[in-house]
Amino acid sequence: MKSSPLWRILAACVLLFAFGMAVYRAKTQTIAHDEALEYEWFLDGGVAHVLEYNPANHMLFTLLAKPTVWTLGVSELRLRLPSVAGALLYVLAAYLLSRRLFGGGLLFFLSVGLLCLNPQILEFMPAARGYILGLAGLVAAMYAMTRLTERGEFDPAAKEWRHGCAVASLALAVPVMATPTNAIPVVCLGMAFSIVALGGWKRLPAFRDARMQEFAKRFVAPGAAAGFCVLWPYLIQMRPGHFYAGLKTARDSMSDVFTGSFLYKWTDDVWAPSLGGVPAVPGSWQARAVNLGIYVLLPVLFWLVASGVLLARRSGKGPSASPTSAACRIFGGAAIACVLLIAGMHVLLRAHYPNARYCLFLVPLFTVGALLAGREIAARYPRRALRAIGLLITATVVADYAASIQVKEFRYNAYDAISFKLYQAIAEDAQNHGLPQVRVGGTWWYEPEINFYRRKFKNARIAEYDVVDKSYFWRSPNALEPSQYDYFVFVPASDPGLGGERVVFRDELRKLTVIAKK
């Protein structure tokens, strides 16, 4: 595709839109459950809490967020500032990577759209979690690798190679600092790059070779050292029980991944009120679409990328033969390796399959891998019809992404859209009735959200929220009986069965009720 200023302008507009949307959502969306837990457990207290390891602690995010909330105070936007910075880095890295790989034509624009408008990526750009920070590091590493492979095989005497390897290595450390599950793409991408940069996988076992040692010194050591310096307080706390999260079957994982990207808004009745992210009704068109994605579309995507990698291997052993083919081997190979590694860990280690937000790294890897694979196929089979079909499919995916754009709430935490209204109802009722001190208890879901807003508004009138939920396994220490609370928050599963209390707040869609003593 020929370069054109029009495509560059349109791509820049996509970047500005995606980042602007992240800033807007960071400022306007109510706090989500996981975000509030991140604040309550690791940021609201002494510095030592930041260093406590828990799967909910996204380490790099909390390390960056602690000075932010300590110096600026607590609010949704201030808590999310590290993620907003990560979103900016991600969109810039996506733009630079796409420009480097695809020039300035239509394919470049489509690549930017696919990387920046994916619903899952947009979901976590503003979220006070570590996902977008990890993705920013991953895509930055991909950009650094692309620049290096354009220079041929690894040359230890070349300054560009030495410095470039260090940059790529440090960038690869960022995803693991963000969340440990990103070790999967880091290992796979690092191995794929090493194979291409050294001229073949047979070069890897040559540990005594001076060139291999220099490569390890430049590419492995900087990131490993940086990662260890940041993560060692968490590494000594990690236990096997920390890694139980995920899904038990490959079908469930593929369903979550497919619906998260391609059926973001359509897994409930399109015309009915939806909380988002709900399973498709059996027999509905959404369920049939999910089955089509699981059994046809995702396997086709996998084999498309795999075919592109095989074709790229035939073009030459070293990156000097074809820089674009080398990139296809690196990113397509890493995408395929991630899927195989996840399946292998499930079979050999009984590890759960990841849900969509634990494997967001598949989005940039398969996006770039598929585009490069399509270009490899088109170069060998130059048929206009084949090229047109590929562009049509790509444009359709971008259009589907664009149709999924929404700013009301986080899809996976849509129940939290009312968290601020819930807090306001309790705070205003207590003030209107002249209550100097009230105790609130109830369902586990809204505990961190209510406590977050108590701290944000410095409301000493409302005491710490207690979890008193018969449907939940944990109960707050020194919790009271439901009838002893001034306000009790519950859903049908946690209904205390009290009678005669005054209803303060009710949401029919979420089946949530708040009652107060008369």
Side-chain angles (χ1 to χ4, degrees):
M1 295 289 178
K2 293 182 179 180
S3 177
S4 170
L6 174 63
W7 298 120
R8 294 196 293 273
I9 292 172
L10 291 176
C13 290
V14 170
L15 259 63
L16 290 173
F17 173 80
F19 179 67
M21 182 175 169
V23 174
Y24 176 78
R25 295 182 73 180
K27 180 175 176 57
T28 61
Q29 283 192 202
T30 54
I31 202 71
H33 185 83
D34 288 355
E35 295 179 301
L37 279 179
E38 190 91 8
Y39 173 77
E40 183 178 44
W41 289 357
F42 309 113
L43 299 173
D44 183 29
V47 177
H49 293 296
V50 177
L51 301 178
E52 293 178 1
Y53 181 71
N54 182 305
N57 186 359
H58 288 198
M59 293 87 70
L60 182 60
F61 172 82
T62 53
L63 288 170
L64 295 174
K66 181 62 178 179
T68 301
V69 297
W70 184 66
T71 56
L72 301 178
V74 182
S75 73
E76 294 89 339
L77 178 60
R78 292 165 186 166
L79 178 62
R80 293 165 175 160
L81 281 178
S83 293
V84 172
L88 177 61
L89 294 176
Y90 174 82
V91 297
L92 291 176
Y95 181 92
L96 293 173
L97 175 65
S98 300
R99 182 70 189 277
R100 200 84 188 187
L101 289 173
F102 305 111
L106 174 59
L107 204 57
F108 155 69
F109 168 71
L110 292 174
S111 175
V112 171
L114 290 169
L115 289 172
C116 294
L117 298 182
N118 179 279
Q120 295 184 85
I121 302 297
L122 288 176
E123 180 92 339
F124 290 104
M125 278 187 182
R129 308 286 279 152
Y131 298 113
I132 195 62
L133 292 168
L135 288 174
L138 189 70
V139 177
M142 294 169 68
Y143 172 68
M145 292 175 182
T146 300
R147 294 191 59 178
L148 289 173
T149 52
E150 291 174 356
R151 307 187 63 83
E153 292 187 13
F154 174 68
D155 181 4
K159 179 180 178 181
E160 292 80 3
W161 263 104
R162 296 197 303 270
H163 291 177
C165 281
V167 171
S169 180
L170 293 172
L172 280 180
V174 171
V176 184
M177 295 178 193
T179 176
T181 56
N182 283 330
I184 293 174
V186 166
V187 169
C188 294
L189 189 57
M191 287 296 295
F193 173 71
S194 300
I195 291 171
V196 172
L198 294 172
W201 63 270
K202 292 182 180 179
R203 306 285 181 88
L204 295 182
F207 298 113
R208 296 183 179 180
D209 181 70
R211 181 167 173 263
M212 178 63 183
Q213 291 178 357
E214 185 67 16
F215 180 78
K217 175 183 175 181
R218 301 295 179 180
F219 180 64
V220 178
F228 180 77
C229 288
V230 173
L231 297 179
W232 72 264
Y234 307 100
L235 293 173
I236 61 178
Q237 301 176 60
M238 291 182 181
R239 300 293 182 270
H242 288 144
F243 302 96
Y244 67 90
L247 301 167
K248 294 184 178 180
T249 67
R251 188 192 187 285
D252 289 341
S253 181
M254 293 173 69
S255 174
D256 196 40
V257 169
F258 181 78
T259 56
S261 283
F262 302 106
L263 290 175
Y264 180 88
K265 291 179 69 175
W266 318 122
T267 48
D268 198 356
D269 186 342
V270 175
W271 307 112
S274 172
L275 291 179
V278 298
V281 177
S284 64
W285 71 266
Q286 293 97 330
R288 290 192 291 271
V290 171
N291 288 333
L292 177 67
I294 293 172
Y295 298 112
V296 178
L297 300 181
L298 291 183
V300 167
L301 175 63
F302 180 90
W303 289 112
L304 169 68
V305 175
S307 299
V309 173
L310 293 175
L311 290 173
R313 286 191 73 245
R314 295 177 60 184
S315 68
K317 293 184 178 180
S320 57
S322 173
T324 56
S325 294
C328 182
R329 291 162 59 194
I330 294 172
F331 305 136
I336 299 301
C338 284
V339 174
L340 297 179
L341 180 57
I342 290 170
M345 291 174 62
H346 177 77
V347 173
L348 298 177
L349 303 177
R350 302 300 183 207
H352 290 333
Y353 287 103
N355 58 30
R357 65 182 182 271
Y358 294 151
C359 58
L360 285 171
F361 52 81
L362 293 178
V363 174
L365 288 177
F366 268 99
T367 295
V368 174
L371 291 174
L372 291 171
R375 190 163 64 178
E376 290 292 325
I377 295 171
R380 288 159 180 78
Y381 305 98
R383 303 287 189 272
R384 288 187 178 181
L386 191 62
R387 186 186 296 259
I389 291 173
L391 290 175
L392 178 62
I393 293 173
T394 305
T396 301
V397 173
V398 173
D400 177 64
Y401 287 178
S404 300
I405 291 172
Q406 61 90 23
V407 297
K408 294 180 181 179
E409 70 273 328
F410 296 119
R411 176 179 184 264
Y412 78 105
N413 263 346
Y415 280 87
D416 294 310
I418 62 168
S419 61
F420 182 56
K421 292 181 180 178
L422 174 59
Y423 164 80
Q424 277 186 314
I426 295 173
E428 291 176 2
D429 188 83
Q431 183 176 6
N432 293 338
H433 286 79
L435 302 177
Q437 184 76 38
V438 296
R439 296 201 63 173
V440 184
T443 178
W444 63 276
W445 184 266
Y446 289 99
E447 178 261 332
E449 295 93 313
I450 298 300
N451 285 331
F452 174 85
Y453 285 117
R454 285 179 56 252
R455 288 161 176 78
K456 175 183 176 180
F457 295 106
K458 298 180 174 61
N459 192 338
R461 186 190 302 271
I462 301 177
E464 194 85 13
Y465 184 108
D466 288 337
V467 175
V468 185
D469 188 339
K470 63 183 180 181
S471 67
Y472 194 58
F473 69 93
W474 186 80
R475 180 184 175 104
S476 296
N478 303 317
L480 308 175
E481 291 302 312
S483 60
Q484 296 177 285
Y485 285 97
D486 299 286
Y487 297 91
F488 198 81
V489 185
F490 64 91
V491 293
S494 58
D495 189 341
L498 302 175
E501 282 75 12
R502 178 167 51 87
V503 175
V504 173
F505 181 86
R506 176 171 288 161
D507 185 275
E508 295 295 339
L509 183 59
R510 296 161 181 81
K511 308 300 181 186
L512 180 79
T513 304
V514 181
I515 56 176
K517 288 183 178 179
K518 283 191 175 181

